[in-house]
């Protein structure tokens, strides 16, 4: 149990609802459903991270320097969205197997927090420095490079925290 929770804490009602529902039961009882959903989650997450990392590395000037950042973003954004659309629902389905336990897992809580911070980082980039992206051919603004570096670190943290869920 995470530190600070009262003994006997059973978790929020939504976690019980997820775990005790038909989907949670099906995920636990089916021989093939859990591994199939886990594969979809991993493939979606790989697509999401691969495209995000490609764009972040370009913004940092470490790869594909001859490709305009707006062009690469136009290519990667639909794939990033597709990856998220695969990974998020599959992640919720995986959560249903042991929602009460996983919902209190420190690694899961860190993962969710980092996903939120990564989303906030992307939003701030798009509301700020991204507005001048057309002129980045010569010099990428420090704010954009900082956002790309933060994105790489945050998403790497999500990956590590997600893997740690099984061990905590």
């Amino acid at each position: 149990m995470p530190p600070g929770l009262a003994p006997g804490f059973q978790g929020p009602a939504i976690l019980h609802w997820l775990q005790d529902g038909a989907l949670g039961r099906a995920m636990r009882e089916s021989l093939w459903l859990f591994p199939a959903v886990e594969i979809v989650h991993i493939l979606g997450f790989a697509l999401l991270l691969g495209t995000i990392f490609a764009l972040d590395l370009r913004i940092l000037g470490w790869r594909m320097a001859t490709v305009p950042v707006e062009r690469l973003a136009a290519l990667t954004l639909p794939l990033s969205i597709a990856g998220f659309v695969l990974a998020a629902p599959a992640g919720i389905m995986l959560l249903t197997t042991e929602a009460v336990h996983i919902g209190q897992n420190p690694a899961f809580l860190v993962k969710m927090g980092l996903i939120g911070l990564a989303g906030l980082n992307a939003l701030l980039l798009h509301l700020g420095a991204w507005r001048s992206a057309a002129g980045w051919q010569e010099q990428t603004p420090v704010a954009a490079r900082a956002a790309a570096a933060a994105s790489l670190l945050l998403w790497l943290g999500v990956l590590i925290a997600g893997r740690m869920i099984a061990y905590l």
Side-chain angles (χ1 to χ4, degrees), residues 54-137:
L55 183 59
D56 287 342
L57 291 172
R58 168 57 188 94
I59 291 170
L60 288 166
W62 296 347
R63 292 287 185 258
M64 299 176 279
T66 60
V67 178
V69 72
E70 285 184 304
R71 176 73 177 132
L72 185 59
L75 294 170
T76 58
L77 183 60
L79 295 172
S80 296
I81 291 169
F84 185 80
V85 166
L86 287 172
I92 292 168
M93 291 175 73
L94 293 172
L95 174 65
T96 66
T97 62
E98 295 183 72
V100 175
H101 174 73
I102 294 170
Q104 298 174 57
N105 184 310
F108 174 77
L109 298 173
V110 167
K111 179 181 177 179
M112 294 299 103
L114 291 173
I115 290 171
L117 289 174
L120 179 61
N121 180 57
L123 177 66
L124 293 174
L125 171 65
H126 286 275
L127 292 176
W130 189 259
R131 293 177 184 217
S132 66
W136 291 2
Q137 280 23 348

Side-chain angles (χ1 to χ4, degrees), residues 29-46:
E29 294 172 3
S30 171
L31 179 62
W32 296 106
L33 186 57
F34 184 92
V37 171
E38 189 169 37
I39 289 167
V40 169
H41 185 66
I42 291 168
L43 290 174
F45 201 63

Side-chain angles (χ1 to χ4, degrees), residues 147-161:
S151 174
L152 286 170
L153 292 173
L154 288 165
W155 285 110
L156 184 60
V158 170
L159 180 65
I160 292 167

